[in-house]
Amino acid sequence: MKIVVDDLSGPEIARFLDEHVQQMRSLTPLESKHALDLDSLRKPDITFWSASDGGSLVGCGAIKRLDVDHAELKSMRTRPTQQRSGVASRLLEHIVAEAQRMGFTRLSLETGAADFFLPARRLYEKFGFQYCGPFAEYRPDPNSTFMTRVL
């Protein structure tokens, strides 16, 4: 699997992210949806990676700089046909290492509280993320789960 910084200019990643946003909209009330669209992911405070295997896009993830020490994990997604194949673990391992290399000392995330998101929460637990309260601009929300990890 190859993981690279992606400038988000290709049509394949645009479709992949649109599927992500549409899926989140179908699962989460609009006021609780925090998935970023393509334009939001192109902002300078975000670093975005795509993962490919055999030339096919299989996953993505990003970090958003919150301040000099703290970043937020965003847009973690694995192609549905590739779920539970190790893509997310390898991608998350890469992103955590890159966040450390960039000088961040804390990495936090927001994910859904519904059962659909349980595999994601288990993945984050496996990587040392612990449950926490809302951070940055987030507010308490019964549809959201917040996690953080010291790097």
Side-chain angles (χ1 to χ4, degrees), residues 40 42-47 63-66 104:
S40 297
R42 289 182 174 139
K43 292 186 177 177
D45 58 345
I46 294 180
T47 303
I63 54 173
K64 177 181 179 182
R65 177 182 299 275
L66 299 176
F104 294 112

Side-chain angles (χ1 to χ4, degrees), residues 95-129:
I95 292 171
V96 167
E98 286 296 300
Q100 289 172 314
R101 187 189 62 72
M102 296 165 114
F104 294 112
T105 58
R106 176 169 297 281
L107 188 59
S108 300
L109 63 93
E110 180 277 337
T111 191
D115 288 345
F116 174 86
F117 298 97
L118 183 59
R121 294 192 303 269
R122 286 188 176 145
L123 172 71
Y124 300 135
E125 288 171 356
K126 180 175 104 173
F127 275 82
F129 285 85

Side-chain angles (χ1 to χ4, degrees), residues 15-68:
R15 282 190 303 276
F16 192 76
L17 288 167
D18 184 58
E19 290 169 5
H20 176 61
V21 170
Q22 296 306 320
Q23 183 179 40
M24 293 305 101
R25 284 185 180 153
S26 75
L27 296 167
T28 307
L30 188 57
E31 66 274 8
S32 298
K33 183 200 75 71
H34 303 289
L36 298 177
D37 63 16
L38 194 57
D39 287 335
S40 297
L41 287 167
R42 289 182 174 139
K43 292 186 177 177
D45 58 345
I46 294 180
T47 303
F48 185 92
W49 292 270
S50 61
S52 60
D53 189 19
S56 295
L57 181 63
V58 295
C60 66
I63 54 173
K64 177 181 179 182
R65 177 182 299 275
L66 299 176
D67 62 40
V68 69

Side-chain angles (χ1 to χ4, degrees), residues 71-88:
E72 179 182 2
L73 182 66
K74 298 294 291 181
S75 299
M76 279 288 295
R77 178 174 173 78
T78 301
R79 184 172 299 285
T81 59
Q82 297 290 317
Q83 289 175 346
R84 307 211 192 358
S85 68
V87 170

